[in-house]
Amino acid sequence: MTIVDALAMLRLAAADGITTLVATPHSHHARDTDIRLAAEQLQRAACADGLPLTILPGSEVRITSGLDRAFRAGELQTINDGPWLLLELPLHDEWPLPLVLGVLERLRNVGARPILAHAERYPFVQRHPAAVTDIVVLDVPIQINAQSLLYRDTDPDRVTAEALLRAGLVHLLASDAHNARYRPPVLSAALACVADLTCQLVPTQMQNLARAIVEGREVEVQVPRQECAADSTHE
């Protein structure tokens, strides 16, 4: 991706009302030092373009059995260098849930705060959305992609994302942006979908949690969240 492409994405984000972005390249494709340097370069480009955006370093880390050792060694680029670590599972080579839970527990034991990325995309979650309850019990927030809520009604990603939301098992919404066209860095339309599927309070809770994460604060993850269970009408 060129700086021109990146700036096009940043302009879309700013126009959508976004003020803070976390750069989360796949960790197996980029070293932590390179990620920080790239985030700083992009921040300078945004400022030069007059965009009121804050760009922070992060990464998307693929699950392996030795992540706790890598975290202790400082080898993983966490979100804004805090304790929060965006973790993804294989999309085509499934890990049994007990193994996933074991990795998450070991990460928690060494001070990491894992976040499960794009939960709606995993085949085992699509088959049984309630399975993520076991992950949330470990104080791990569940994130879904904004674009999944905008796919066609029968798309498995959308069906699963909506099921997770209705069950109170989603804590974060992210763009997982790849460029200005495929999964663009915008959230407002998806946040409106979240409000329609749950209530007006949930998008605010998601944004508050996202703010706490980029600030490196500790939060308790609720399972399942039922604050809006009695709210049957929407403005």
Side-chain angles (χ1 to χ4, degrees):
M1 177 180 293
T2 67
I3 193 66
V4 172
D5 296 327
L7 278 172
M9 294 174 68
L10 294 185
R11 291 176 190 130
L12 284 174
D16 197 55
I18 292 170
T19 59
T20 302
L21 298 95
V22 180
T24 55
H26 294 284
S27 63
H28 54 285
H29 290 157
R31 296 180 301 175
D32 54 351
T33 53
D34 294 333
I35 293 170
R36 284 194 290 273
L37 288 173
E40 292 168 2
Q41 179 187 20
L42 194 55
Q43 180 69 77
R44 290 193 295 270
C47 292
D49 204 56
L51 298 173
L53 296 170
T54 299
I55 296 145
L56 304 171
S59 67
E60 190 173 48
V61 179
R62 187 164 294 173
I63 191 170
T64 65
S65 59
L67 284 184
D68 54 326
R69 294 189 296 273
F71 179 84
R72 281 201 311 267
E75 297 171 355
L76 304 177
Q77 178 60 61
T78 57
I79 294 176
N80 198 25
D81 299 321
W84 295 91
L85 184 69
L86 187 63
L87 184 68
E88 70 166 353
L89 310 181
L91 290 172
H92 305 294
D93 182 20
E94 291 190 50
W95 273 50
L97 184 58
L99 291 183
V100 173
L101 298 176
V103 170
L104 295 173
E105 286 185 291
R106 290 193 294 274
L107 281 168
R108 293 286 282 130
N109 288 340
V110 296
R113 290 301 309 268
I115 301 165
L116 181 63
H118 46 67
E120 79 282 5
R121 300 182 64 199
Y122 305 122
F124 84 94
V125 179
Q126 293 179 350
R127 291 193 300 269
H128 185 47
V132 301
T133 303
D134 292 335
I135 295 174
V136 178
V137 165
L138 296 178
D139 217 21
V140 174
I142 303 299
Q143 176 252 309
I144 62 172
N145 285 349
Q147 198 67 27
S148 294
L149 295 172
L150 306 178
Y151 291 153
R152 67 184 186 278
D153 291 351
T154 57
D155 187 278
D157 289 6
R158 176 170 174 174
V159 171
T160 306
E162 291 182 350
L164 291 171
L165 278 166
R166 291 193 179 100
L169 291 170
V170 179
H171 307 91
L172 293 163
L173 188 71
S175 66
D176 196 11
H178 280 53
N179 56 51
R181 294 170 300 280
Y182 176 61
R183 282 197 228 133
V186 294
L187 296 175
S188 58
L191 284 169
C193 291
V194 170
D196 287 341
L197 288 164
T198 56
C199 73
Q200 297 293 336
L201 180 61
V202 172
T204 300
Q205 291 172 329
M206 289 179 169
Q207 291 169 311
N208 289 341
L209 177 56
R211 186 175 299 110
I213 287 170
V214 299
E215 292 175 356
R217 291 189 273 122
E218 284 288 331
V219 295
E220 181 181 350
V221 177
Q222 300 177 21
V223 50
R225 299 185 311 176
Q226 297 291 345
E227 294 92 331
C228 302
D231 182 9
S232 59
T233 62
H234 304 297
E235 295 296 332

